[in-house]
Amino acid sequence: MKKVLRKQIIEARLGISQEKKLQSSKKVMDMLMEEEHFLKADFVGIFYPTQNEMDLTPLIDKYPQKIFAYPKIVNDKIQFLQVDKTIELKKSHFGVSEPSYGFDITSKLEVIIVPALGMTKNNYRLGYGKGYYDKFFKVYQNPYKIGIIYEQEEVSFEPQAHDVPLDTYFKG
């Protein structure tokens, strides 16, 4: 079921125009700029866009007082490395841009903005299928978790034992 949904959404995303991507990114950033957990947080996990995901990275410049971090897979686990002016991104073997080095601020994160292919009405995330975020959230339960999807990506599936619900999600 999840595999089929993943394939459908990835294919549909290929047809998303640059204009739609920009509109959706702006809509989600506007929602985040009113979200109390995000506004209060000093340490925020954010993703670097790939595969037609929304680009929320302008938030980094808009909130210079916050410390942002990008995810990086290290020893089959997610770590969040602090974003700074010298950050160097390299493509991982999954085709995702990750920091090549940086300060690990994983344990300090208060909010994590999570990329998703789909979200269920009860906040379960359809990811890319590797389970990294679910494993991460089993260990790091404190950060407020916000999924990000396009308008038409609400999905329905039966959560499995390893699935961890997010706190909320925004549609762009």
Side-chain angles (χ1 to χ4, degrees), residues 66-82:
K66 293 184 183 298
I67 296 171
F68 287 88
Y70 287 140
K72 177 179 176 73
I73 304 299
V74 178
N75 298 326
D76 226 29
K77 291 185 176 88
I78 296 178
Q79 279 184 356
F80 279 85
L81 304 183
Q82 185 173 333

Side-chain angles (χ1 to χ4, degrees), residues 2 78 124-125 127 130-139 162-166:
K2 283 185 180 179
I78 296 178
Y124 283 94
R125 172 183 173 268
K130 301 286 181 212
Y132 287 121
Y133 276 100
D134 288 319
K135 289 180 217 158
F136 178 85
F137 291 133
K138 288 238 193 283
V139 176
H162 64 268
D163 289 332
V164 176
L166 304 185

Side-chain angles (χ1 to χ4, degrees), residues 64-117:
Q65 73 281 16
K66 293 184 183 298
I67 296 171
F68 287 88
Y70 287 140
K72 177 179 176 73
I73 304 299
V74 178
N75 298 326
D76 226 29
K77 291 185 176 88
I78 296 178
Q79 279 184 356
F80 279 85
L81 304 183
Q82 185 173 333
V83 174
D84 63 24
K85 296 287 177 223
T86 64
I87 195 153
E88 204 178 282
L89 298 174
K90 289 206 169 117
K91 290 256 190 241
S92 73
H93 61 280
F94 295 115
V96 176
S97 293
E98 298 180 330
S100 41
Y101 58 87
F103 290 113
D104 180 358
I105 62 167
T106 306
S107 60
K108 295 181 178 181
L109 294 177
E110 298 156 273
V111 167
I112 299 179
I113 301 167
V114 187
L117 287 171

Side-chain angles (χ1 to χ4, degrees), residues 1-15:
M1 178 66 164
K2 283 185 180 179
K3 204 173 194 170
V4 172
L5 287 171
R6 252 183 225 109
K7 189 175 173 1
Q8 288 171 344
I9 292 169
I10 288 170
E11 279 180 25
R13 281 191 178 182
L14 294 175

